[in-house]
Amino acid sequence: MNGFDDLIRRRIAAAVGQTWRSIQREILESWLDLDGGEFERFVAAVGFRLQDDLVVVPLNKENEAKGTITRENVKFERKC
């Protein structure tokens, strides 16, 4: 069962890494069902870092906020 738990935890960490830049430690601990040193080792293993009571996720292409410009060309037919 331990391998399954680790696989689920890694999938949760991947989803967090794709959607957030930081998350409250308490929330991520509850999602992963880990705490203390075990939680800290897991966070370091997936490339996150702890900063006070936050888990900081490194910038990546999924969680980077980017502005987008959308252009539309709308043509109206005029009948006179």
Side-chain angles (χ1 to χ4, degrees):
M1 187 78 161
N2 191 25
F4 178 75
D5 292 345
D6 188 52
L7 182 65
I8 296 300
R9 287 181 180 121
R10 289 191 176 275
R11 185 60 201 123
I12 291 169
V16 167
Q18 292 172 340
T19 52
W20 285 290
R21 295 289 313 277
S22 65
I23 184 169
Q24 291 287 327
R25 176 183 178 141
E26 181 180 301
I27 293 170
L28 190 55
E29 282 179 330
S30 71
W31 289 354
L32 299 174
D33 194 28
L34 294 173
D35 59 5
E38 196 174 16
F39 174 77
E40 292 170 6
R41 283 188 294 278
F42 180 83
V43 165
V46 296
F48 299 170
R49 68 180 169 82
L50 293 171
Q51 181 179 336
D52 299 322
D53 61 342
L54 281 180
V55 177
V56 179
V57 178
L59 184 64
N60 60 58
K61 67 179 184 171
E62 284 89 13
N63 71 4
E64 182 180 14
K66 295 180 185 175
T68 58
I69 298 173
T70 305
R71 288 182 179 230
E72 293 184 27
N73 290 326
V74 180
K75 295 181 180 179
F76 294 97
E77 290 184 27
R78 291 181 59 179
K79 294 182 181 180
C80 295

